[in-house]
Amino acid sequence: MSENTGSAMAKEEQKQSSRRKSAKRETPSLNMDELRELAELVNEHGFTDFEFENANIRVRLSKMMSAPIVHQTAQPAQTSAPAAQSAAETHIAATESAAETQDDLHKITSPIVGTFYSSASPDKDPYVKKGDKVMPETVVCIVEAMKLMNEIQAEVSGEVVEIYVENGQAVEYGQPLFGIKK
């Protein structure tokens, strides 16, 4: 091997080493806004799974598909048709009334796919309960995703009137967690 070739190879190796060192110094990460944006894109295009990995970060988004929830009302077996119709109309009116009150609420939704936790640990009290007053910076729960505990803030002032999920339940991106009456 000639001296020039050896020298050129050494310089090239130095350049690569320098690039690796500068890449190690630059540790780009994903902030929550970028993660939300990525989740919206994945949801928008109908993906159920998405994974991205480079030398510095790995992101995996998975959307759990759930079966539709069907509510049935028990009706007495021996009712006349008008009575059964009246009971069905009452049930529909009650459902519509509940839906109207739900529309007035500000919904705090899950910004990511993960597991919902109502408190910091199993032996601690929940962050919030029905009837509690919250401010925009009030932490209302934690959503765990990929072993990272993400504190979710209320982002509005008001009263907690609905809690839509149970402790330890898996949640999807955009799923309502709380209903806040402003």
Side-chain angles (χ1 to χ4, degrees):
M1 176 161 54
S2 74
E3 200 172 299
N4 287 340
T5 308
S7 170
M9 288 176 65
K11 286 181 182 179
E12 183 60 33
E13 196 171 306
Q14 256 184 337
K15 286 180 187 176
Q16 288 178 356
S17 175
S18 164
R19 281 188 220 132
R20 282 191 295 256
K21 286 179 184 174
S22 67
K24 285 182 183 175
R25 276 184 257 132
E26 299 172 18
T27 55
S29 64
L30 227 50
N31 65 33
M32 284 305 291
D33 290 333
E34 291 170 326
L35 193 57
R36 283 186 188 113
E37 210 172 290
L38 185 59
E40 286 174 10
L41 282 171
V42 168
N43 194 38
E44 210 173 275
H45 293 284
F47 296 149
T48 55
D49 287 297
F50 174 81
E51 192 167 337
F52 170 78
E53 183 175 355
N54 68 17
N56 301 315
I57 191 166
R58 178 176 180 222
V59 175
R60 183 172 189 275
L61 301 174
S62 180
K63 183 177 183 180
M64 294 178 10
M65 303 306 281
S66 61
I69 298 171
V70 178
H71 295 283
Q72 291 182 321
T73 56
Q75 294 182 359
Q78 296 180 344
T79 51
S80 64
Q85 185 178 8
S86 174
E89 288 172 354
T90 303
H91 177 69
I92 290 170
T95 304
E96 287 174 352
S97 172
E100 286 174 10
T101 59
Q102 296 292 323
D103 290 341
D104 296 340
L105 301 178
H106 170 78
K107 293 194 177 56
I108 299 173
T109 59
S110 178
I112 53 179
V113 173
T115 304
F116 172 87
Y117 293 109
S118 60
S119 62
S121 67
D123 59 334
K124 303 273 183 173
D125 289 335
Y127 288 109
V128 294
K129 298 178 285 258
K130 283 186 181 180
D132 285 356
K133 302 285 185 203
V134 295
M135 302 299 291
E137 63 279 347
T138 304
V139 175
V140 293
C141 68
I142 291 175
V143 175
E144 176 194 4
M146 300 183 336
K147 305 293 182 197
L148 294 175
M149 301 297 179
N150 302 284
E151 291 184 339
I152 309 302
Q153 296 181 335
E155 298 181 357
V156 295
S157 294
E159 178 184 347
V160 178
V161 293
E162 286 294 331
I163 301 175
Y164 300 112
V165 292
E166 293 183 26
N167 194 41
Q169 181 178 338
V171 293
E172 296 182 23
Y173 169 78
Q175 179 178 347
L177 304 174
F178 296 92
I180 307 294
K181 184 176 181 180
K182 292 184 183 181

